């Protein structure tokens, strides 16, 4: 069945005042996303998400334009089930026929950034559509699941040191065995960050896994100092210690600590993840299905994790569609251990769909509904479309 329509919508939804948070991105008052719809000739529709930013807020106008005015004219009429062919057609553009003949990529100039983010939303929507047409969950299309349920870690942890313990304990009270807190330039100094992490370990004890996420904001020297001062706290991982532009610096930090290093939410395509691995920069790969190139490319990243015996931890901070894309990916990969679950105010995770993804006692069950397993709430889309 061929692709008939591809549409994109910029959604901007306010976060209730009591659920907002502040980080290095500033005060987060809204959540943005690009919702992508792909409809086939039979009228079946799949949904995906394309991101303008890894955080909550980002202008999506350029992604909408890219999808509707650049990619849609190229892809309408192609076979909707040939998802890999669609992906390669976008990545190599007008030279796609050379790529197919020669067996290697001939990438367009926009082989990172907005175009790949736009492709991510289309690709994920095609997987959702294919699962719905066949009546099976996406995880079945990826080869089936490696497990019946998976633990989630609670992703939040913005509070100052005097309130952090209570904030994190409130997560654990809901059954989470792991939590992630934000660190880095949002604090006034490395010492203040260390104090917050020490308070987290004091409040949670030794049995709870603690991940820390610097959003790439430390310098190499600051990150090395932080890693040394927290070495005995047994952190589960240290995420994005420095900018993704500095893979050699990330490798330097990893060489100087036994704390595992995680990265990847800001990376585009498997080729960026290959570079992380070749630099020996990481222990944990974190592809975001709404950034990396969709489920197709995220599965290729999962194969790299499996090949190099690294942990896979999809970045699941976004709408219900990118969250569930990461969930299906994680269930399909033997390298995945944890699934990220946002504890910040996120209407796009809970209200964009008719029934929000369910996490019970810190665990999520194997998806068993067709496609991504979530249904769009059209009233929400209508209300918050920019």
């Amino acid at each position: 069945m061929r692709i008939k329509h591809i549409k994109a919508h910029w959604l901007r939804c306010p976060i209730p005042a009591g659920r907002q948070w502040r980080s290095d991105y500033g005060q987060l008052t809204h959540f943005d996303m690009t919702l992508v719809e792909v409809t086939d000739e039979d009228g079946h529709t799949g949904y995906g998400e394309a991101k303008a930013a890894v955080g909550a807020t980002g202008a999506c106008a350029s992604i909408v334009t890219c999808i509707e005015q650049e990619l849609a004219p190229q892809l309408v009429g192609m076979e909707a089930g040939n998802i890999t062919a669609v992906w390669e057609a976008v990545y190599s553009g007008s030279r796609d026929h050379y790529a197919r003949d020669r067996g290697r990529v001939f990438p367009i100039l926009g082989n990172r950034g907005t175009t790949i983010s736009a492709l991510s939303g289309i690709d994920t929507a095609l997987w959702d559509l294919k699962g719905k047409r066949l009546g099976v969950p996406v995880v079945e299309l990826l080869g089936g699941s490696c497990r019946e349920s998976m633990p989630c870690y609670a992703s939040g942890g913005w509070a100052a040191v005097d309130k952090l313990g209570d904030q994190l304990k409130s997560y654990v009270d809901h059954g989470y065995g792991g939590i992630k807190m934000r660190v880095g330039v949002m604090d006034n100094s490395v010492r203040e960050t260390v104090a917050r992490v020490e308070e987290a370990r004091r409040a949670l004890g030794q049995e709870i896994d603690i991940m820390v996420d610097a959003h790439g904001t430390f310098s190499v020297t600051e990150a090395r100092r932080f890693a040394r001062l927290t070495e005995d706290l047994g952190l589960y991982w240290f995420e994005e210690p420095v900018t993704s532009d500095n893979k050699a610096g990330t490798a330097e930090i990893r060489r100087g600590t036994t704390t595992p290093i995680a990265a990847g939410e800001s990376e585009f395509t498997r080729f960026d993840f290959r570079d992380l691995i070749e630099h020996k920069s990481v222990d944990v790969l974190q592809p975001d299905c709404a950034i990396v190139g969709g489920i197709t490319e995220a599965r290729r990243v999962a194969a790299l994790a499996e090949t190099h015996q690294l942990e896979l931890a999809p970045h699941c901070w976004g709408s219900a569609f990118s969250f569930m894309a990461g969930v299906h990916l994680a269930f399909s990969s033997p390298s995945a251990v944890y699934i990220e679950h946002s504890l910040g105010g996120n209407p796009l995770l809970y209200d964009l769909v008719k029934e929000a993804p369910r996490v019970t006692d810190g665990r999520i069950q194997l998806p068993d509904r067709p496609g991504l397993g979530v249904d769009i709430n059209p009233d929400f889309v209508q209300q918050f479309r920019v």
Side-chain angles (χ1 to χ4, degrees), residues 134-320:
L134 297 176
V136 298
V138 167
V139 65
E140 292 297 319
L141 304 178
L142 296 174
S145 179
C146 297
R147 49 191 75 82
E148 291 299 314
S149 70
M150 287 188 69
C152 296
Y153 68 85
S155 188
W158 303 274
V161 65
D162 59 332
K163 297 181 180 178
L164 183 64
D166 289 340
Q167 184 181 64
L168 299 183
K169 283 191 287 188
S170 72
Y171 303 163
V172 174
D173 289 343
H174 285 86
Y176 295 94
I179 66 93
K180 185 164 78 178
M181 58 179 288
R182 272 56 183 182
V183 300
V185 76
M186 60 179 281
D187 300 321
N188 292 322
S189 65
V190 172
R191 173 50 67 185
E192 181 177 331
T193 295
V194 171
R196 291 179 65 243
V197 178
E198 289 174 340
E199 171 60 15
R201 179 56 77 200
R202 185 204 64 77
L204 299 180
Q206 297 299 317
E207 301 305 314
I208 301 298
D209 290 330
I210 297 176
M211 300 84 158
V212 298
D213 184 357
H215 288 167
T217 60
F218 278 133
S219 68
V220 171
T221 300
E222 289 169 335
R224 292 178 61 195
R225 182 172 177 230
F226 170 82
R228 176 174 58 81
L229 293 173
T230 57
E231 185 90 21
D232 61 349
L233 298 180
L235 299 179
Y236 191 83
W237 73 51
F238 180 10
E239 182 173 335
E240 280 200 315
V242 297
T243 173
S244 60
D245 286 343
N246 192 357
K247 294 176 176 57
T250 307
E252 182 180 347
I253 296 158
R254 182 172 180 253
R255 286 194 297 270
T257 183
T258 59
T259 299
I261 302 299
E265 68 181 47
S266 302
E267 305 290 0
F268 296 91
T269 78
R270 64 193 182 274
F271 302 112
D272 283 355
F273 283 86
R274 173 206 60 196
D275 293 346
L276 280 170
I277 293 169
E278 288 184 349
H279 277 86
K280 300 186 184 301
S281 299
V282 289
D283 303 278
V284 185
L285 301 182
Q286 298 178 296
D288 186 319
C289 290
I291 293 174
V292 73
I295 293 174
T296 295
E297 198 69 349
R299 188 64 193 86
R300 291 162 168 168
V301 173
L304 289 175
E306 294 153 13
T307 301
H308 292 274
Q309 293 297 279
L310 303 171
E311 184 174 337
L312 177 74
H315 183 245
C316 294
W317 187 270
S319 78

Side-chain angles (χ1 to χ4, degrees), residues 316-338:
C316 294
W317 187 270
S319 78
F321 293 102
S322 63
F323 175 80
M324 288 305 299
V327 168
H328 284 266
L329 176 69
F331 270 95
S332 75
S333 174
S335 291
V337 176
Y338 264 121

Side-chain angles (χ1 to χ4, degrees), residues 9-15 31-33 35 319-321 346-354 375-386:
H9 311 281
W10 175 6
L11 304 185
R12 163 163 273 215
C13 181
I15 301 170
F31 230 109
D32 292 291
M33 73 169 292
L35 176 68
S319 78
F321 293 102
N346 183 355
L348 296 176
L349 178 59
Y350 299 103
D351 302 325
L352 172 62
V353 291
K354 294 179 179 178
D375 297 319
I376 198 76
N377 178 353
D379 293 337
F380 185 95
V381 175
Q382 185 63 35
Q383 181 177 0
F384 297 110
R385 182 189 291 124
V386 175

